[in-house]
């Protein structure tokens, strides 16, 4: 039988021996436990020392899913710590916020994918030229978890890209990753992308063309052509380019860029292989943020230090609301019907195609007819149409004229064609705030009036230059306005070129500060031919816009009664061209300085 006392004694001796054997590893002092130290820090419950200064401490390593599977006891687990292998960072449980926190940042490392197809290198890369702030990657990412990110792009040609930051929201985003270094040789480089240290396989690959030293060449902005349609909020595509004429005097690379204006820019690069005159294409990128035309400053890397120049990108004008007042007949008096309406709605004239004369979203049309009540007129104007077109046979009262004047003073736009004296007088007195203005009936059907040589957008616009040419009176009598002293730009006077009867006054004008155009003929837009072809009469229907040309406005080639040395039909009139130019001006005013302009 074993001796119990002997056994206990042996056990005590073994424990004492173990204690002395491990006393260099474990110690306890003042309530603190030390490992590899005989004097643990009194402010800690555990003080671990690496004896050879070559080891660390490992705490439980869990994936994020494993960490999330822990059933938290709120009363006891505040400060529970693990190493998150998914995030590659220490995490601890916060009782105050009731969530896992990351010591790498309050929201930890992000999770995202890179959209290689929408990732590209910006700037021009030249052999031996150090990268600067214009050299960067535009990287499109889809963030599925907020947090810190690091994106790198490496090449084997002496330069790389690096960017870091924080994604504060999920979803598709675009970031810039700055370039650094100096390209060593002329070649096409593939950029290897890394997302948070993980290699990204890109198809198609992100590439950079490194060019040779710059050639010597001059650029000609005067002959530049802006191609494509530009619409607010619509990203530029392959058709949005600038074709630029250059003259090359020494071979080498070229890099031609523009500044960024309202979200868009253009650039082109390559190598000249021959001298002489040639064209370079600059490709557009970005999304326009406004409808204002954009003046792009073009800069080149020509070895002779060529100066900059400017090219204007014309933006598409959004859809405009048009209020028509006048007879709704085939003649098109108010432009609600007839060839004048067809001219307005033609994509040839006002459209979103590359060949449209004026880039415009078009119009929505509303008509009040020829005899609206004062209440109906007021209600329609209070609805803030962008543009009002007035034609035969609307005759506004003094009250209605005051409504129109008030609309103009609120930056509305009015194009008015009138041939009744008292209502024309009402309009002029209200708009010019002058009770002394008079309006009187003048010459009759077939009268032809000379246009001034004023360089005004109505007389010299996108549809033609009619300065010094003529417009023609329709079937009724022209209105002559007298008493105007200032505040207007005259387009035509009261004296017909085909009459010897002396007449005075103004028959066509534009207000100097209000958006108002007026001609003293209610039938200015008249043409009963639905196809817009020239009507056979020499004394009526002076408007021409043939459907065969997309209702593009042209002069009426035979017009006017005989008189003052002119044979019948020997004159040409430009009514349709004037109207089209007026529309182009009107919708531009409505967009930039109109009643609905923000």
């Amino acid at each position: 039988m074993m001796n119990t006392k002997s056994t206990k004694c042996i056990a005590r001796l073994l424990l004492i021996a173990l204690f002395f054997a491990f006393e260099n590893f474990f110690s306890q002092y003042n309530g603190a436990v030390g490992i590899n130290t005989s004097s643990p820090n009194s402010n800690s419950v555990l003080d671990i020392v690496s004896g050879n200064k070559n080891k660390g401490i490992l705490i439980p390593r869990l994936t994020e899913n494993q960490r999330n599977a822990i059933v938290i006891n709120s009363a006891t687990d505040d400060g529970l710590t693990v190493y998150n292998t998914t995030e590659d960072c220490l995490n601890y449980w916060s009782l105050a916020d009731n969530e896992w926190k990351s010591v790498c940042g309050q929201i930890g490392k992000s999770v995202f994918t890179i959209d290689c197809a929408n990732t590209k290198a910006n700037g021009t890369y030249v052999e031996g030229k150090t990268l600067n702030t214009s050299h960067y990657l535009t990287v499109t990412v889809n963030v599925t978890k907020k947090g810190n990110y690091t994106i790198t792009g490496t090449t084997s040609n002496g330069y790389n890209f690096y960017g870091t930051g924080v994604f504060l929201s999920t979803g598709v985003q675009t970031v810039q990753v700055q370039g650094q270094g100096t390209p060593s040789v002329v070649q096409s480089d593939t950029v290897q992308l890394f997302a948070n240290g993980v290699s990204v396989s890109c198809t198609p690959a992100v590439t950079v063309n490194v060019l040779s030293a710059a050639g010597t060449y001059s650029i000609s902005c005067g002959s530049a052509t802006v191609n494509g349609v530009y619409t607010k909020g619509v990203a530029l595509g392959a058709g949005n380019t600038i074709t630029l004429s250059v003259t090359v005097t020494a071979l080498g690379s070229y890099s031609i860029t523009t500044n960024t204006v309202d979200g868009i820019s253009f650039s082109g690069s390559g190598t000249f292989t021959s001298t002489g005159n040639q064209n370079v294409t600059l490709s557009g990128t970005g999304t326009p943020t406004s409808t204002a035309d954009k003046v792009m400053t073009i800069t080149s890397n020509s070895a002779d230090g060529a100066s900059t120049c400017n090219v204007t990108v014309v933006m598409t004008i959004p859809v405009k609301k048009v209020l028509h007042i006048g007879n709704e007949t085939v003649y098109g008096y108010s432009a609600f019907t007839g060839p004048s309406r067809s001219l307005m709605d033609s994509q040839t004239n006002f459209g979103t195609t590359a060949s449209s004369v004026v880039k415009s979203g078009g119009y929505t049309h509303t008509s009040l007819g020829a005899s609206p009540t004062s209440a109906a007129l007021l209600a329609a104007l209070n609805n803030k149409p962008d543009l009002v077109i007035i034609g035969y046979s609307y005759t506004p009262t003094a009250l209605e004229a005051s409504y129109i004047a008030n609309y103009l003073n609120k930056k509305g736009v009015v194009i008015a064609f009138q041939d009744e004296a008292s209502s024309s007088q009402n309009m002029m007195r209200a708009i010019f705030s002058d009770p002394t203005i008079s309006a009187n009936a003048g010459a009759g059907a077939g009268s032809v009036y000379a246009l001034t040589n004023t360089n005004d957008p109505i007389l010299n616009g996108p549809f033609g230059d009619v300065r010094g040419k003529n417009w023609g009176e329709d079937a009724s009598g022209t209105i002559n306005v007298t008493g105007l002293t200032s505040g207007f730009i005259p387009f035509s006077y009261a004296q017909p070129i085909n009459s010897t009867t002396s007449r005075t006054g103004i028959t066509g004008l534009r207000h100097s500060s209000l958006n108002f155009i007026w001609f003293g003929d209610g039938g200015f837009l008249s043409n009963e031919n639905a196809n817009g072809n020239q009507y056979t009469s020499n004394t009526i229907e002076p408007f021409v816009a043939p459907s065969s040309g997309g209702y593009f406005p042209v002069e009426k080639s035979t017009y006017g009664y005989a008189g003052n040395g002119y044979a019948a039909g020997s004159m040409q009139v430009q009514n349709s061209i004037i109207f089209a130019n007026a529309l182009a001006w009107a919708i531009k005013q409505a967009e930039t300085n109109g009643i609905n302009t923000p």
Side-chain angles (χ1 to χ4, degrees):
M1 182 174 178
M2 182 179 290
N3 188 316
T4 304
K5 283 187 175 182
S6 247
T7 302
K8 289 181 179 179
C9 184
I10 292 169
R12 288 192 185 104
L13 290 173
L14 285 173
L15 285 173
I16 292 169
L18 285 172
F19 175 80
F20 283 109
F22 291 101
E23 67 177 338
N24 290 330
F25 298 95
F26 298 94
S27 63
Q28 184 170 354
Y29 175 74
N30 198 25
V33 175
I35 299 178
N36 279 336
T37 177
S38 60
S39 55
N41 190 305
S42 61
N43 288 328
S44 70
V45 294
L46 177 64
D47 184 358
I48 302 174
V49 175
S50 175
N52 295 321
K53 308 298 183 185
N54 61 354
K55 295 184 179 179
I57 182 171
L58 284 175
I59 68 171
R61 288 161 285 180
L62 284 70
T63 66
E64 192 157 305
N65 288 336
Q66 291 169 335
R67 183 205 69 181
N68 292 340
I70 297 174
V71 178
I72 295 296
N73 184 330
S74 298
T76 61
D77 292 350
D78 191 20
L80 180 66
T81 302
V82 300
Y83 183 81
N84 183 340
T85 58
T86 303
E87 185 190 346
D88 194 25
C89 193
L90 289 168
N91 292 177
Y92 68 92
W93 177 259
S94 169
L95 176 63
D97 291 335
N98 194 39
E99 66 178 4
W100 288 100
K101 297 289 188 181
S102 169
V103 301
C104 297
Q106 286 297 306
I107 53 178
K109 190 176 290 186
S110 64
V111 177
F112 63 96
T113 56
I114 291 179
D115 180 358
C116 296
N118 288 310
T119 295
K120 69 170 189 173
N122 299 271
T124 302
Y125 299 75
V126 178
E127 177 188 18
K129 188 174 182 179
T130 302
L131 273 54
N132 56 38
T133 55
S134 67
H135 300 89
Y136 58 90
L137 298 178
T138 301
V139 183
T140 299
V141 299
N142 184 16
V143 181
T144 55
K145 178 188 174 187
K146 298 182 290 183
N148 301 293
Y149 72 85
T150 299
I151 299 174
T152 55
T154 62
T155 76
S156 58
N157 198 14
Y159 64 98
N160 299 291
F161 302 87
Y162 177 82
T164 186
V166 179
F167 292 126
L168 297 177
S169 61
T170 58
V172 176
Q173 303 174 44
T174 300
V175 295
Q176 288 188 0
V177 181
Q178 187 60 49
Q180 53 190 346
T182 304
S184 301
V185 297
V186 177
Q187 64 182 32
S188 179
D189 295 320
T190 297
V191 180
Q192 176 61 56
L193 294 176
F194 295 85
N196 282 345
V198 178
S199 177
V200 178
S201 178
C202 270
T203 303
V206 178
T207 59
V208 175
N209 290 320
V210 177
L211 306 176
S212 61
T216 303
Y217 59 99
S218 60
I219 58 179
S220 175
C221 283
S223 59
T225 302
V226 179
N227 307 298
V229 176
Y230 299 82
T231 304
K232 178 182 177 182
V234 177
L236 303 193
N240 297 110
T241 62
I242 296 176
T243 303
L244 192 63
S245 176
V246 300
T247 302
V248 182
T249 55
L251 301 184
S253 70
Y254 68 86
S255 172
I256 305 175
T257 59
T258 73
N259 56 336
T260 298
V261 181
D262 289 345
I264 67 171
S265 62
F266 296 81
S267 64
S269 61
T271 301
F272 292 122
T273 58
S274 63
T275 59
N277 296 328
Q278 48 199 285
N279 289 331
V280 169
T281 299
L282 309 183
S283 298
T285 187
T287 301
T289 58
S290 77
T291 58
D293 292 345
K294 305 177 194 327
V295 179
M296 315 301 300
T297 299
I298 296 178
T299 304
S300 77
N301 72 332
S302 176
D304 64 0
S307 60
T308 61
C309 60
N310 296 328
V311 170
T312 299
V313 173
V314 178
M315 294 294 297
T316 299
I317 298 173
V319 174
K320 295 303 173 193
K321 299 181 294 183
V322 181
L323 175 66
H324 299 272
I325 311 176
N327 281 349
E328 299 170 8
T329 68
V330 295
Y331 298 102
Y333 292 132
S334 69
F336 187 69
T337 53
S340 55
R341 169 68 177 269
S342 298
L343 179 151
M344 293 186 70
D345 291 342
S346 167
Q347 283 283 310
T348 298
N349 302 324
F350 301 91
T352 57
T353 69
S355 59
S356 299
V357 176
V358 174
K359 302 302 187 290
S360 165
Y363 311 90
T364 59
H365 300 272
T366 303
S367 177
L368 289 179
S371 304
T373 64
S374 298
L377 174 67
L378 180 60
L381 295 178
N382 285 340
N383 197 37
K384 294 185 177 181
D386 297 296
L387 169 62
V388 176
I389 301 176
I390 297 172
Y392 179 84
S393 59
Y394 178 53
T395 55
T397 64
L399 177 62
E400 292 164 355
S402 71
Y403 293 159
I404 294 170
N406 185 54
Y407 166 77
L408 283 166
N409 285 319
K410 293 179 179 177
K411 297 186 177 182
V413 184
V414 174
I415 301 174
F417 303 109
Q418 293 183 281
D419 57 17
E420 195 277 324
S422 63
S423 58
S424 298
Q425 182 170 284
N426 290 337
M427 285 274 286
M428 291 297 174
R429 289 182 174 182
I431 292 168
F432 285 90
S433 300
D434 185 349
T436 67
I437 295 173
S438 297
N440 302 284
S447 298
V448 176
Y449 297 92
L451 294 162
T452 64
N453 279 299
T454 306
N455 188 18
D456 185 271
I458 313 306
L459 303 184
N460 184 19
F463 293 92
D465 184 355
V466 299
R467 291 175 294 176
K469 297 181 180 181
N470 310 309
W471 71 269
E473 163 67 42
D474 185 37
S476 57
T478 311
I479 297 301
N480 307 330
V481 175
T482 58
L484 288 169
T485 57
S486 62
F488 70 100
I489 299 161
F491 292 155
S492 61
Y493 294 93
Q495 184 63 52
I497 65 172
N498 54 339
S499 174
T500 56
T501 302
S502 179
R503 300 184 186 278
T504 59
I506 302 292
T507 55
L509 61 82
R510 178 169 69 85
H511 199 287
S512 298
S513 57
L514 300 179
N515 300 323
F516 178 62
I517 299 169
W518 177 89
F519 281 91
D521 176 21
F524 194 93
L525 308 180
S526 177
N527 183 354
E528 66 187 80
N529 289 331
N531 60 12
N533 290 343
Q534 181 167 295
Y535 189 67
T536 55
S537 172
N538 295 331
T539 58
I540 62 172
E541 303 183 30
F543 188 92
V544 184
S547 59
S548 58
Y551 294 99
F552 184 82
V554 297
E555 69 178 12
K556 183 165 185 176
S557 59
T558 57
Y559 203 72
Y561 55 72
N564 196 28
Y566 291 93
S570 65
M571 291 150 280
Q572 296 77 45
V573 293
Q574 318 291 324
N575 292 41
S576 60
I577 299 173
I578 294 169
F579 178 60
N581 282 344
L583 282 171
W585 173 86
I587 61 175
K588 188 71 173 179
Q589 288 296 108
E591 178 62 25
T592 60
N593 189 38
I595 195 168
N596 294 307
T597 301

